[in-house]
Amino acid sequence: MMIYRVILLLLVSLYLPVAFGKPVEIPGPPFDPPGPPSTPPGLAKKVIGFTVLHTNDHHGRFWANSDGEYGMAARKTLIDQIIAEVQAEGGDVLLLSGGDINTGVPESDLQDAEPDFIGMELLGYDAMAVGNHEFDNSRDILSWQQTLVSFPFLSANIYDETTDTRVFNSHATFAINGLTIAVIGLTTEDTPIKANPDNMVGLVFKDPKSEAAALIPEIMKEEKPDLVFAVTHMGHYANGNSGNNAPGDVALAEFLDEGMLDLIVGGHSQNPVCVNPDGTYSDFAPGEPCVPDMKNGTYIVQAEDWGKYLGRADFEYLKGELTLTNYTLIPVNLLDEDGNVIGEPIEPNAEVIDILQPYQDAGSELLDVVIASSDGRLEGDRAVVRSQQTNLGRLIATAQSAFIQGAEFGVMNSGGVRASIEAGEIAYREVLTVQPFGNTVAEAKMTGSEVAAYLAQVATQTNVGQNGGYPQFAGVTMTVDCEAQTVEITDLGGRGFNEAETYTFSIPSFSAAGGDGYPVLGDVIDSGFVDAQVLADYMADTLGGVVKVADFEPLGELTFINSLNDQGCELSAP
């Protein structure tokens, strides 16, 4: 990554105004929230209206995609419109983020999310939760990112291991239309297993539920707020069923005494929290109504990811009671199946475009930076990769399995391989040509018997007719019986094979969700890291920038029997 930063400095000096140049000095102390304002006499006797706007899991999407969807400039226009509307009616607005600003698209990743945090400052965010992906970069980068904004990064449950003190501010207090609102921050306990271990040294992630239970009474005693909200990066799991993930927002709300917490603005699970009366997820599509969750007297909201939606929650407060009068997930220039904008088109804010354009230009040039070289052709042509095991398919599956800590093997759908890479220098842009969809890498755990059943469905997909479901494997030695649709596994990642043991493997999020005909895996951990970034980092860092094609050539680890094709399952002549 060092070469990226050196080149970035050269590009930035050409493109960016001095006002946004990266400072060299170490940042100062964390944000120091102001003390609580005094409540005017008689305030409790009148209805007070205010609005909470929220996003989460931004993941580097400071710029609109190629179809003009989302982007911070359009979001700014929408936010400004809502603020003007609310203030004209005598209300006020609080703008919050559920975290994970980092990691998602190369133009942002290669610039350490600088345009994203500058964008958040331009949009007027009031506070954000610290997400697990805030630790994708080194801690000095995270500290530097804090200097780019005036709002606080909040997390009450991240501690310094040596001093047993909080690393970030636990909360901030805001005056909203005469009310005092305390906002606490909480971060998932899964962070140490989801982030680079080097960036976790000296940190302790305590139970966010217990931290909230202890912190809220302290805030109530010392600051006497009218309301207590939380910005969290813990995930929303229907009725608290978190599976392999650490407990999330539902578990938090149910752990606390009723009335302790009024609102949770969440993130991490990257889903629109729209629920049925029984707490299960409702079918939601852009532009449709959304009913947020409520558990134990606490409203819980989340706005999927990437800034696709701006969540809007309108509240009324009277005599100590908070009432949600309206809730909407507003699509930000999202398109329907016919390519039409859903709802009213939103004109991007010109100032935001002007300020962020140089970052987009610089990021685009960084994509032409050479990250590695190959001593031979890496085969990804559609007709080949969808019919047989190839060196590029195995390289991708190997990169993803190496990325997932403790993974024995990797599974990759051939439909996610879109081009070959010729011998010679490899630029980042070529990696994006191979993997252009922005799918993320997920982690799955299964017993040996479960793995055998899963691979029996995956490996017996036909390799006839350019089927994108035809799998590429890394770390798997087995015989596939195409007629019986069974597999006999002899080795997974050098551990042999035992039906009773537990194995870990990597899988694209697309495939884990049932894409290309794969079985749906409901209990996976999505790393949030984009496949192209994982492949580029593997070639540049793990392989030292030198890809030896012979190291990834298939060597007969897969044997297909009862098939007309020795490279896959073909039961009848085409």
Side-chain angles (χ1 to χ4, degrees), residues 551-563:
D551 292 343
F552 300 96
E553 293 292 350
L555 299 174
E557 295 91 345
L558 301 182
T559 302
F560 293 88
I561 63 173
N562 294 322
S563 172

Side-chain angles (χ1 to χ4, degrees), residues 291-309:
V291 177
D293 202 0
M294 174 180 265
K295 290 290 189 295
N296 204 24
T298 302
Y299 295 105
I300 308 174
V301 298
Q302 190 177 157
E304 197 168 324
D305 55 14
W306 302 1
K308 297 172 188 171
Y309 303 93

Side-chain angles (χ1 to χ4, degrees), residues 50-57 94-99 125 127-130 154 181 183-187 228-236 249 252 261-268 273 292-293 298-303 311-313 315 327 329:
F50 66 93
T51 295
V52 175
L53 302 178
H54 65 96
T55 58
N56 56 276
D57 295 271
L94 190 64
L95 177 57
L96 302 173
S97 168
Y125 277 81
M128 64 168 269
V130 176
L154 300 178
I181 300 179
V183 180
I184 67 174
L186 298 165
T187 305
V228 179
F229 293 170
V231 284
T232 71
H233 196 81
M234 297 166 55
H236 183 279
D249 295 334
L252 169 67
L261 191 57
D262 297 289
L263 170 69
I264 297 173
V265 173
H268 188 52
V273 173
D293 202 0
T298 302
Y299 295 105
I300 308 174
V301 298
Q302 190 177 157
R312 174 178 179 170
F315 290 100
Y327 184 74
L329 287 177

Side-chain angles (χ1 to χ4, degrees), residues 16-91:
L16 303 183
V18 174
F20 292 108
K22 182 180 292 188
V24 177
E25 63 271 17
I26 300 298
F31 173 85
D32 185 17
S38 59
T39 302
L43 185 62
K45 298 179 182 179
K46 59 177 284 191
V47 174
I48 304 168
F50 66 93
T51 295
V52 175
L53 302 178
H54 65 96
T55 58
N56 56 276
D57 295 271
H58 171 84
H59 286 302
R61 268 72 180 187
F62 71 92
W63 203 252
N65 68 6
S66 58
D67 292 323
E69 296 180 302
Y70 46 89
M72 300 188 89
R75 195 191 315 168
K76 169 67 170 173
T77 298
L78 183 57
I79 289 169
D80 287 350
Q81 289 173 349
I82 294 172
I83 290 175
E85 172 197 327
V86 171
Q87 290 181 345
E89 296 177 356

Side-chain angles (χ1 to χ4, degrees), residues 64-275:
N65 68 6
S66 58
D67 292 323
E69 296 180 302
Y70 46 89
M72 300 188 89
R75 195 191 315 168
K76 169 67 170 173
T77 298
L78 183 57
I79 289 169
D80 287 350
Q81 289 173 349
I82 294 172
I83 290 175
E85 172 197 327
V86 171
Q87 290 181 345
E89 296 177 356
D92 209 345
V93 173
L94 190 64
L95 177 57
L96 302 173
S97 168
D100 266 10
I101 311 307
N102 289 276
T103 308
V105 294
E107 290 90 342
S108 170
D109 298 343
L110 296 175
Q111 299 180 82
D112 295 327
E114 182 173 357
D116 307 274
F117 285 104
I118 286 176
M120 291 182 74
E121 182 73 5
L122 292 170
L123 270 60
Y125 277 81
D126 292 300
M128 64 168 269
V130 176
N132 56 288
H133 282 285
E134 269 58 88
F135 296 93
D136 291 344
N137 299 307
S138 61
R139 298 267 290 285
D140 62 327
I141 294 295
L142 175 56
S143 295
W144 163 72
Q145 288 172 340
Q146 290 179 268
T147 69
L148 298 175
V149 300
S150 60
F151 59 81
F153 289 28
L154 300 178
S155 183
N157 65 306
I158 303 177
Y159 281 75
D160 182 283
E161 185 176 34
T162 302
T163 63
D164 196 36
T165 57
R166 291 184 172 109
V167 176
F168 301 91
N169 286 96
S170 63
H171 71 287
T173 306
F174 300 92
I176 302 297
N177 204 22
L179 290 174
T180 304
I181 300 179
V183 180
I184 67 174
L186 298 165
T187 305
T188 177
E189 293 173 275
D190 277 345
T191 300
I193 64 173
K194 291 177 175 291
N196 187 328
D198 292 341
N199 300 335
M200 297 292 100
V201 175
L203 297 180
V204 175
F205 289 75
K206 296 187 179 183
D207 180 356
K209 303 188 302 301
S210 298
E211 289 296 304
L215 176 62
I216 293 173
E218 293 178 11
I219 295 173
M220 295 301 296
K221 179 180 178 181
E222 296 175 5
E223 303 183 28
K224 299 179 176 57
D226 299 291
L227 297 166
V228 179
F229 293 170
V231 284
T232 71
H233 196 81
M234 297 166 55
H236 183 279
Y237 310 108
N239 293 320
N241 299 320
S242 57
N244 278 337
N245 298 289
D249 295 334
V250 173
L252 169 67
E254 293 181 336
F255 181 84
L256 301 173
D257 292 339
E258 185 172 357
M260 287 184 71
L261 191 57
D262 297 289
L263 170 69
I264 297 173
V265 173
H268 188 52
S269 51
Q270 298 180 225
N271 54 329
V273 173
C274 308
V275 299

